[in-house]
Amino acid sequence: PPLAQANSFEGNSASCAIACGAMFACCCAEQTEAESIAAIDTRDTYSTDEKIPAVVEATAEEPKAAKAEAPKEEPRPAPELAKEEVKEVAAPQPVPAKGPHTFEVVVERNGRLGLQVEMKESCLLCVRVIEGCNLEAYNKTAPADRRLECTDFVVEVNGQKDLDKMVQEVKDAATVKMKVVRSVPFTVKIKTGGKPMGVGLTYQKDSIAIDLKEFRDGAVKDYNSTAPPESRLEVNDSIISVNGVVATPEKMVEVIKNSPEVELCLIRAPRA
């Protein structure tokens, strides 16, 4: 449903195939000029620690029974064996579970909070963290897995889940406590085969993502008909790069229009 309440800021929207843009809110004391987006850090991968080889102690073989009694020899001192250096090996660290990562961000307001968000269906998409503000200062001291980054989804603010109330809390509250979900980006490759893409797109002018709003006959429907369920595109998925290009929505739309084969990197907002 359109989100046109008086207590939120509406950005200039542009659409491809349908005209229903999302909404922007810049949560700082004064509006700042939109910055061009040069890159987005969407890495969220984990490597599995290698198995530590087990330590096997060597044991001497049992001597075989002699066929005949060997002549007795004077006992000799046993040679000293060189002691092997034993290296301590750290225990493997637990591997984070795959899938969306949920965490909490708490920021005390002291002037400008410095967060720009875009309203989605049931959450807020982090568009940018503004330099020189409270949130940037928080990110500098927070652990890497608890920093608020572009493409993160804010699903709750100070206990509020209603979009307008969430925005109001981010704008006005002295302490801003946000529940954040970092989704795992996924990639799909679609060949048009001379067909239209057959997808309705919508985006904000200053956003970092393009939203899929409807599917019609075309290459995307053909892709979905044969793709495994976990790889199918869904309405409200957000494109964050096209053929490796991370740019403005207008630029990414041009790449989609002019490419016979597209590689889309997308994120999926958490379900309400």
Side-chain angles (χ1 to χ4, degrees):
L3 303 170
Q5 301 296 328
N7 61 351
S8 62
F9 300 102
E10 182 173 3
N12 295 326
S13 62
S15 63
C16 174
I18 58 175
C20 63
M23 312 258 313
F24 272 123
C26 184
C27 304
C28 50
E30 58 188 48
Q31 293 285 356
T32 59
E33 184 177 355
E35 303 170 3
S36 59
I37 304 300
I40 301 174
D41 188 357
T42 58
R43 291 170 294 177
D44 193 10
T45 58
Y46 306 96
S47 60
T48 302
D49 291 324
E50 295 180 358
K51 292 183 178 179
I52 298 176
V55 177
V56 180
E57 295 184 0
T59 56
E61 293 183 358
E62 293 293 333
K64 297 179 180 179
K67 294 182 179 179
E69 184 177 350
K72 294 183 178 180
E73 295 183 2
E74 294 294 328
R76 298 177 183 178
E80 292 186 1
L81 299 177
K83 294 183 179 179
E84 294 185 1
E85 183 181 354
V86 178
K87 295 182 179 180
E88 292 185 1
V89 181
Q93 297 298 313
V95 179
K98 295 182 179 180
H101 169 49
T102 302
F103 58 100
E104 190 176 85
V105 172
V106 181
V107 183
E108 298 294 335
R109 186 189 302 276
N110 182 17
R112 303 168 63 190
L113 187 67
L115 171 63
Q116 186 172 351
V117 298
E118 178 180 344
M119 284 181 165
K120 297 299 185 183
E121 292 294 317
S122 60
C123 58
L124 305 176
L125 172 67
C126 177
V127 174
R128 62 177 54 86
V129 174
I130 299 171
E131 294 182 3
C133 297
N134 301 152
L135 190 53
E136 184 194 38
Y138 162 85
N139 276 349
K140 287 181 178 179
T141 59
D145 61 347
R146 298 177 73 88
R147 296 171 190 163
L148 187 64
E149 300 177 354
C150 292
T151 72
D152 283 346
F153 293 103
V154 180
V155 297
E156 184 178 312
V157 182
N158 291 348
Q160 301 290 345
K161 296 183 180 181
D162 175 79
L163 289 178
D164 290 329
K165 291 180 180 178
M166 289 167 63
V167 170
Q168 201 65 40
E169 288 292 323
V170 173
K171 287 170 56 183
D172 300 333
T175 301
V176 180
K177 182 178 178 181
M178 295 177 282
K179 184 178 179 181
V180 181
V181 176
R182 180 164 298 154
S183 292
V184 179
F186 62 100
T187 302
V188 302
K189 291 184 179 181
I190 299 177
K191 294 182 179 180
T192 61
K195 294 183 178 181
M197 286 291 288
V199 60
L201 306 174
T202 184
Y203 57 87
Q204 285 287 337
K205 181 180 179 182
D206 296 323
S207 184
I208 56 174
I210 304 170
D211 293 341
L212 308 183
K213 283 301 177 183
E214 65 173 353
F215 298 136
R216 301 187 293 271
D217 291 339
V220 171
K221 261 194 175 180
D222 291 348
Y223 164 82
N224 273 352
S225 66
T226 58
E230 66 274 11
S231 299
R232 293 172 190 165
L233 298 179
E234 298 180 5
V235 170
N236 294 326
D237 284 350
S238 297
I239 302 170
I240 57 175
S241 76
V242 182
N243 291 354
V245 175
V246 180
T248 63
E250 293 90 345
K251 175 64 177 177
M252 290 192 286
V253 167
E254 285 302 313
V255 177
I256 293 173
K257 287 181 179 179
N258 299 318
S259 302
E261 180 176 358
V262 292
E263 181 178 274
L264 306 177
C265 183
L266 306 100
I267 54 177
R268 180 167 297 162
R271 299 295 183 251

